[in-house]
Amino acid sequence: MKISDILIDWYNANKRDLPWRRTSDPYLIWLSEIMLQQTRVDQMMPYYERFVSRFPSVFSLAEADLDEVFKYWEGLGYYRRAEHLHRTARIIAGERQGRFPSTAKDLIKLPGIGPYTAAAVASFAFGEAIPVLDGNVMRVLARLYGEETPVNTEAGKKILTEAAEKLLDRSQPGLFNQAVMEFGALQCTPHHPSCNSCPLAGRCVAYATGKTAMLPVKLKKKPLRTRYLHYVIHIRNGGIAVRRRSGKDIWNGLYEFPLMELPGEEAVTKVRQILSKRFDNPAEAFVLIGRRVHLLTHQRLKLYFWRGKVSSKEAEIIDLQKVSTLAFPVPLKRFLDNYLNIPNFDNER
Ligand code: ADE
């Protein structure tokens, strides 16, 4: 039996029933793939449902304000995805009468669509015979063929892409691609894969050579950069000082509290003096009221929250009632929700 048939049979018997698998609408498939980048299915699902009921078509998304899109994205992280999503929706609705390109080669020209997403949308929605290569697929292939070239190198990707091209079932590429991805997600898992019940165990080089646990090989990532972010919580007359973050750094476009970033860890008394100078208020006006650590892919953020005062040119004062309608980075929103007991996004609807 062909390996692709084994995978497809396995898929038909074991697949999860996911909403974007019940449609061939490229809008829904594209949206699901963008949301699933760096995000697990169970975490993303409620966002997907809410998003689709508010923006059921590419036209409704294109007509919306970016701020509203951010609000629906709040909590998913990697906000650049939401910005690209919105830009792509405007291109599709405004320049292409709502029609998505049907090949990976053209899809990849759109904002936020890389090689993986282009291949996924082209094969799932349009049946293009092109393999997808995400983390799940790379793990399955590296193990199946005992491939020890690191998968996060160009050489490793090239070898696995060629293997995937050969394996691909060209008569049903979308089904095949979903099958390999699902097989990686449920059967050939990173830790403790279910080799005892695996229909490919008899063909798997890693299984035969006892190398399952060491494959795929990955080159070590760069160490995390630590950043020290001091936020000032300034509440006055039922309003709070906030400003919109801009630039090319993290969280571009989201709201935040007046911020002072320091290059390193400093003693509390020292930070109060620096805050006092920076925001032109007496050091006594600043009291440390909370801290937390937040991890991003390449950064460890140490967040410090100070109760204090800032001048009106630093920020705008937003009604506390209105704050929950603005999109904030998750750790800031969590802090604020705890601090003020503002009902969160989930409770609102
Ligand atoms: N992760 C990325 N894309 C996926 C999909 N289409 N189904 C399940 N998990 C996924």
Side-chain angles (χ1 to χ4, degrees):
M1 202 169 167
K2 284 194 336 210
I3 289 176
S4 59
D5 289 338
I6 297 175
L7 284 166
I8 288 171
D9 284 354
W10 176 92
Y11 179 69
N12 286 329
N14 295 284
K15 69 178 170 199
R16 290 166 292 180
D17 179 26
L18 303 173
W20 52 90
R21 290 182 174 160
R22 282 180 243 130
T23 176
S24 58
D25 180 346
Y27 169 69
L28 297 175
I29 290 170
W30 163 70
L31 173 66
S32 72
E33 291 301 338
I34 301 292
M35 281 193 164
L36 283 165
Q37 290 168 6
Q38 329 271 353
T39 308
R40 290 191 322 275
V41 170
D42 56 342
Q43 194 195 351
M44 154 285 197
M45 190 77 96
Y47 287 88
Y48 177 83
E49 305 279 7
R50 272 197 300 260
F51 203 95
V52 170
S53 52
R54 169 63 187 84
F55 309 111
S57 70
V58 73
F59 294 104
S60 52
L61 179 55
E63 282 161 19
D65 277 348
L66 179 59
D67 272 341
E68 191 186 2
V69 179
F70 272 145
K71 192 61 201 169
Y72 275 78
W73 206 269
E74 188 183 66
L76 271 176
Y78 303 94
Y79 294 88
R80 189 100 10 112
R81 290 186 293 173
E83 207 183 318
H84 285 152
L85 194 83
H86 189 240
R87 267 171 57 204
T88 288
R90 291 201 160 168
I91 294 170
I92 301 292
E95 300 170 20
R96 303 184 49 97
Q97 297 83 44
R99 286 193 290 273
F100 277 80
S102 63
T103 62
K105 175 177 143 296
D106 289 332
L107 282 159
I108 205 169
K109 295 174 189 160
L110 293 162
I113 301 192
Y116 162 76
T117 306
V121 174
S123 66
F124 301 162
F126 300 106
E128 185 180 3
I130 183 169
V132 296
L133 219 66
D134 72 346
N136 286 323
V137 177
M138 290 197 279
R139 183 171 59 257
V140 172
L141 298 178
R143 285 177 177 164
L144 189 57
Y145 297 114
E147 181 53 60
E148 296 183 26
T149 311
V151 294
N152 52 352
T153 60
E154 285 311 309
K157 284 203 187 92
K158 182 154 180 282
I159 293 168
L160 294 183
T161 304
E162 283 164 14
E165 301 263 7
K166 289 211 188 90
L167 210 53
L168 179 67
D169 182 338
R170 292 177 178 274
S171 66
Q172 36 189 355
L175 185 65
F176 171 84
N177 283 337
Q178 291 274 15
V180 194
M181 284 170 48
E182 191 76 340
F183 189 79
L186 302 183
Q187 181 89 29
C188 194
T189 51
H191 306 290
H192 312 297
S194 311
C195 300
N196 289 337
S197 66
C198 180
L200 291 177
R203 321 256 189 124
C204 180
V205 175
Y207 187 66
T209 55
K211 288 187 172 174
T212 311
M214 61 158 278
L215 288 172
V217 175
K218 286 186 194 162
L219 287 188
K220 276 220 172 52
K221 287 192 240 147
K222 289 190 287 185
L224 291 181
R225 170 162 83 110
T226 303
R227 297 173 69 174
Y228 305 85
L229 306 176
H230 296 267
Y231 292 101
V232 179
I233 309 296
H234 179 178
I235 294 177
R236 193 180 68 198
N237 304 336
I240 182 165
V242 301
R243 64 183 191 193
R244 194 206 272 275
R245 202 172 161 85
S246 61
K248 280 221 182 306
D249 197 359
I250 55 171
W251 297 334
N252 180 17
L254 302 193
Y255 281 82
E256 65 181 5
F257 315 116
L259 165 66
M260 180 183 73
E261 177 162 5
L262 294 179
E265 193 103 59
E266 298 287 354
V268 167
T269 45
K270 180 79 188 293
V271 179
R272 285 174 84 194
Q273 285 165 14
I274 306 174
L275 282 167
S276 157
K277 283 216 182 88
R278 165 71 182 75
F279 291 110
D280 199 16
N281 269 294
E284 299 73 57
F286 298 93
V287 180
L288 187 61
I289 51 175
R291 49 172 113 201
R292 47 179 77 216
V293 176
H294 187 73
L295 292 182
L296 301 173
T297 316
H298 305 292
Q299 304 183 19
R300 176 191 294 114
L301 306 179
K302 291 200 167 178
L303 312 174
Y304 303 83
F305 297 96
W306 297 81
R307 193 172 69 220
K309 290 193 169 64
V310 300
S311 77
S312 56
K313 60 179 191 294
E314 295 287 345
E316 48 182 317
I317 303 286
I318 296 280
D319 241 21
L320 282 172
Q321 259 76 44
K322 274 222 209 117
V323 173
S324 64
T325 67
L326 305 179
F328 282 83
V330 164
L332 302 198
K333 175 154 177 63
R334 289 215 184 107
F335 173 81
L336 197 61
D337 286 350
N338 279 333
Y339 192 60
L340 301 175
N341 285 322
I342 292 176
N344 66 26
F345 188 69
D346 286 339
N347 301 343
E348 267 172 46
R349 30 204 94 220

